[in-house]
Amino acid sequence: MRTQVAIIGAGPAGLLLSHLLAQGGVDSVVLETRSEEYVAARIRAGILEHSSVELLESAGLGARLRAEGDEHRGIHLQWPGERKHLDFVDLTGRSVWVYGQTEVQKDLIAARRAAGQEIHYEVGDVALHDVTSDRPSVTFLDKSGHEQRLDAAVIAGCDGSFGPSRAAVPAATAYEKVYPYSWFGILADVAPSTDELIYAWHPDGFALHSMRSATVSRLYLQVPNGTDPASWSDDRIWDALATRLGHGQDGWKLNPGPITDKSVLPMRSYVQTPMRHGNLFLAGDAAHIVPPTGAKGLNLAIADVALLSKALVARVKERNDTLADAYSDAAQRRVWRCTHFSWWMTTMLHTSGDPFDAELQLSQLRWVASSQAGATGLAENYAGLPISY
């Protein structure tokens, strides 16, 4: 087989890249080790930045987002006895949208299926070859177990932190921070108890009230690393959430409901540089991971792909390497800004058990909530910097 761009990974980064490349007149083939059903059902991010929404709309992928998504003007910051609302639109003129990654994935699958995109699911033994030559290739076993080879002008690694693409960049520099706590996340079939997300600092640990729809709530608790979800009963979960989120404070109530999913997410920051090696280009989690506190993971992948698609169209169609040569540096300026913001939000809101740290965190929260400059800085980063930052 031969194509212009071989894309490894059929998550949002890989499918969005194939979509944007097709709009630019560049062919691609997508390879994915998981099944289509598994990829479509993965529960991940739920907040889209202003810039991400603009990009999806400009690519013809915004109709269902606008019809079924929920636009939020801001977030609530909370600590015991206080809840402050930050209005991003008033502060920066930019909002965010609650629209889960599963919904973005559905839109992308529908669009690529309608366009006849070639996608190979459930492939095995994926290996990259000759990525510094002008004839790179990918070998793999197809769903039937037959050996296949895909030749391309360019390979795009959109296969996450555990795929083969990241390891195919030799002598890369990796920066990593592992946090001493995790998120215990639940999905519950109950209407959200809040109009917009609540980020809560509490001596017992951080809590977040998010949502997926008008009938499904997504909530998180800070827990120690290595926590077994089965060790927490439903009653224990709701009691901890009620305590940390301030049930009864100023008459506010947390409404419990049937829990349909429990998972524990370790927290880490990871950045690998460069994001290019020869004719291999990395995007999304293949190059960087952020803790979810700043709602940046999916949005960073979208930003990477927006830059990469333009670079690859120019490289493949026009033999112009200017954007391709600048891609890694251009993408990483935004990556490091979002990595810092995610670290900042995480360390401001998660407790360590140290009383000194706690007083610093409360001081920071009070400043952000009461200072125009502090609130604007948080709003600017959360609602999203321009993709070309």
Side-chain angles (χ1 to χ4, degrees):
M1 295 186 290
R2 182 163 184 83
T3 189
Q4 290 173 307
V5 179
I7 300 174
I8 305 175
L15 291 190
L16 180 58
L17 179 59
S18 72
H19 184 85
L20 297 176
L21 289 175
Q23 290 186 330
V26 173
D27 296 330
S28 65
V29 172
V30 183
L31 306 177
E32 171 59 53
T33 60
R34 302 285 193 169
S35 68
E36 179 178 342
E37 294 74 20
Y38 177 90
V39 176
R42 282 186 297 200
I43 299 170
R44 294 289 190 271
I47 302 295
L48 291 178
E49 295 176 359
H50 188 89
S51 295
S52 296
V53 173
E54 288 181 328
L55 187 279
L56 293 171
E57 288 189 315
S58 70
L61 298 165
R64 201 165 70 90
L65 188 164
R66 286 287 184 182
E68 300 180 21
D70 188 11
E71 186 176 15
H72 283 193
R73 292 181 62 96
I75 62 171
H76 300 280
L77 283 181
Q78 180 177 302
W79 57 98
E82 297 285 346
R83 181 180 293 172
K84 302 293 186 181
H85 183 253
L86 303 186
D87 192 306
F88 298 163
V89 177
D90 286 348
L91 292 164
T92 68
R94 297 162 72 84
S95 63
V96 296
W97 284 74
V98 174
Y99 194 66
Q101 180 172 316
T102 52
E103 304 309 311
V104 175
Q105 186 74 11
K106 288 177 187 176
D107 296 340
L108 287 165
I109 289 173
R112 301 320 302 138
R113 182 177 289 125
Q117 175 69 48
E118 185 175 352
I119 307 175
H120 296 267
Y121 288 100
E122 298 180 68
V123 303
D125 294 345
V126 177
L128 289 68
H129 307 276
D130 304 319
V131 297
T132 58
S133 75
D134 59 0
R135 292 183 61 83
S137 64
V138 183
T139 57
F140 61 97
L141 298 180
D142 65 21
K143 193 173 181 179
S144 300
H146 297 120
E147 293 184 4
Q148 302 287 351
R149 175 185 171 119
L150 176 62
D151 294 310
V154 171
I155 300 173
C158 304
D159 48 343
S161 56
F162 300 108
S165 299
R166 175 188 288 181
V169 180
T173 300
Y175 303 87
E176 184 173 23
K177 178 177 179 61
V178 177
Y179 298 86
Y181 34 71
S182 299
W183 273 17
F184 187 173
I186 66 164
L187 276 176
D189 284 339
V190 62
S193 304
T194 178
D195 57 340
E196 295 180 337
L197 276 67
I198 303 171
Y199 285 79
W201 183 99
H202 191 274
D204 292 350
F206 168 77
L208 170 63
H209 191 325
S210 183
M211 63 280 292
R212 284 294 178 267
S213 70
T215 59
V216 177
S217 295
R218 181 70 161 154
L219 302 105
Y220 298 94
L221 291 164
Q222 176 187 340
V223 294
N225 288 340
T227 295
D228 179 1
S231 67
W232 282 65
S233 68
D234 289 8
D235 287 344
R236 182 185 178 191
I237 292 168
W238 287 116
D239 287 347
L241 286 166
T243 297
R244 298 186 197 185
L245 290 169
H247 178 83
Q249 180 177 312
D250 296 328
W252 180 82
K253 294 182 179 180
L254 174 67
N255 298 317
I259 296 174
T260 59
D261 183 80
K262 299 178 184 179
S263 60
V264 171
L265 175 67
M267 307 276 280
R268 68 187 181 114
S269 298
Y270 179 94
V271 179
Q272 177 171 304
T273 185
M275 293 171 61
R276 177 194 178 183
H277 179 58
N279 280 309
L280 168 63
F281 296 79
L282 304 181
D285 287 0
H288 42 75
I289 302 287
V290 291
T293 324
K296 289 289 163 271
L298 175 59
N299 293 291
L300 272 177
I302 290 173
D304 287 351
V305 166
L307 296 175
L308 182 57
S309 60
K310 292 180 180 179
L312 296 187
V313 168
R315 180 176 177 80
V316 172
K317 291 197 68 177
E318 304 166 15
R319 299 291 188 265
N320 185 334
D321 287 343
T322 302
L323 293 178
D325 291 342
Y327 166 69
S328 182
D329 288 342
Q332 290 216 328
R333 280 194 293 273
R334 200 177 197 276
V335 167
W336 276 113
R337 174 83 299 274
C338 292
T339 298
H340 176 268
F341 176 68
S342 300
W343 166 86
W344 179 74
M345 286 282 287
T346 299
T347 54
M348 178 172 65
L349 288 160
H350 290 74
T351 57
S352 67
D354 184 329
F356 183 81
D357 290 347
E359 292 302 326
L360 290 178
Q361 290 171 318
L362 290 169
S363 175
Q364 180 93 313
L365 285 164
R366 294 185 187 107
W367 173 73
V368 169
S370 62
S371 161
Q372 182 82 5
T376 300
L378 188 153
E380 181 181 48
N381 283 274
Y382 195 105
L385 299 161
I387 285 176
S388 59
Y389 171 80

